[in-house]
Amino acid sequence: MPIPASWDFLPEIPPESIPSPPIPKKWGHTYVSITGSNGEGEEIPLTGFEGPYWPNIFMQAGATGLDLPPMEVRSDTSPNLDGSMYRSTRAAAREIMLPLFLYGIDRYTVRRLKRQLIQALSPLNGPCVLKIQESGLPPRFLTCWYKDGLQGDESEENAGFRWMRYGIQLTAMDPWYYGESFHVAEWTFGTGAPFLKPASSLFPITVSEGLISRPDFPVTNPGDTAAWPIWKIEGPVRKFRLSHGKRAFGIDGNDKDVIPGGTTLTVDTRPGHKTLMDDTGKNYWPLLDKRPALWPLPAGRSQIGVDLVPGSTNARLRLTIRPRFETY
């Protein structure tokens, strides 16, 4: 049975303003390079056509391991409960694969490129530094060790008279990218100084003698994860204590200067370093208070506690970090 229908319908009402499509932002090509000898060798571009021999070494599509590093999630199981209980998470070493193509104008050129690449990646010369820079953004650096891929394959699919193809495998023991510049905050403590030093920028801050003990100095870590500070304390200083939350470390010198005038104590909290030494070579580890914690600075804005008693003249405290990033 046919269904009766009406031809009557409401006409579509056009919108008051026609929506405009989004305009894509202009973005240049990503620059990638690798530098051997612990970053002190010759920088080899992998995405540009620079150098006396065209087109040089360049990276093909298919690179892996350049974004978030692998994570190890630890948990405990219970014989009487379903599932597991979360314990902790740590970033594991990052495994990277770079497909590289060497193409020269003659056999001499491709042999030169091959030897240059092997010398830069050989772990006998130390780690290599991978540099990645997006258009208009600061570069990111990743320290890597060569693992595999440069043994050579003379098959028809992987090598020719003037070209070669490699799949380079690298391991980043430290899986975090590092920025190029350091982020620095500085405070000066002493008698008769104004609270805020008149300047065009917030840092360095100058604090008067009556305000040298505060739990809420604002600092910013622009990275994606915690960074380990390097502190420089310029004497004379009778005692100091640096804290973040419940973690703190310091030295109580009682009535005498623990850091003499004209001497600078460097407190390096980075893993693998962990040193407290002044510019004369004196080790300050035995002088630390009980149960010290050389704490990292978390990502984003936070507040730190500074308790510092200067000696007879001005003392200076300098905070330096190198931000760490999850990806480029």
Side-chain angles (χ1 to χ4, degrees), residues 43-247:
E43 183 177 359
I44 303 176
L46 302 180
T47 55
F49 301 111
E50 300 178 359
Y53 301 101
W54 184 87
N56 220 322
I57 305 173
F58 60 93
M59 186 171 67
Q60 295 182 298
T64 59
L66 296 177
D67 288 318
L68 185 69
M71 297 291 177
E72 294 181 357
V73 181
R74 296 187 175 92
S75 62
D76 293 337
T77 58
S78 173
N80 300 321
L81 298 175
D82 298 334
S84 302
M85 298 181 62
Y86 170 81
R87 290 302 181 191
S88 62
T89 300
R90 64 177 293 272
R94 183 193 295 263
E95 300 294 334
I96 299 171
M97 196 283 290
L98 300 179
L100 302 183
F101 192 83
L102 286 64
Y103 185 52
I105 58 175
D106 51 26
R107 184 64 178 177
Y108 170 81
T109 305
V110 74
R111 281 176 51 84
R112 173 188 172 275
L113 296 177
K114 178 182 69 172
R115 294 177 62 87
Q116 181 186 17
L117 183 63
I118 290 176
Q119 185 177 11
L121 295 182
S122 174
L124 299 177
N125 299 326
C128 57
V129 176
L130 187 66
K131 174 183 176 180
I132 305 179
Q133 184 174 12
E134 292 280 11
S135 174
L137 297 180
R140 301 282 183 258
F141 300 90
L142 193 65
T143 301
C144 307
W145 290 86
Y146 166 77
K147 184 178 180 179
D148 199 359
L150 272 176
Q151 293 88 341
D153 185 354
E154 296 295 331
S155 63
E156 185 177 353
E157 295 81 10
N158 293 293
F161 188 72
R162 293 182 298 179
W163 61 274
M164 292 181 179
R165 182 183 287 118
Y166 295 107
I168 306 301
Q169 298 181 31
L170 306 173
T171 300
M173 309 299 182
D174 184 348
W176 305 109
Y177 286 92
Y178 284 82
E180 185 177 39
S181 59
F182 290 76
H183 187 70
V184 178
E186 185 175 312
W187 300 270
T188 300
F189 305 89
T191 304
F195 173 62
L196 286 180
K197 179 181 178 180
S200 58
S201 61
L202 181 60
F203 298 112
I205 296 177
T206 302
V207 184
S208 67
E209 184 181 11
L211 297 170
I212 61 176
S213 179
R214 283 181 53 183
D216 56 353
F217 278 112
V219 292
T220 301
N221 174 7
D224 297 330
T225 187
W228 295 90
I230 298 177
W231 301 90
K232 288 186 179 294
I233 308 173
E234 182 179 332
V237 173
R238 292 187 177 181
K239 71 174 183 178
F240 70 90
R241 182 177 176 84
L242 307 173
S243 62
H244 183 273
K246 297 181 179 180
R247 294 174 293 182

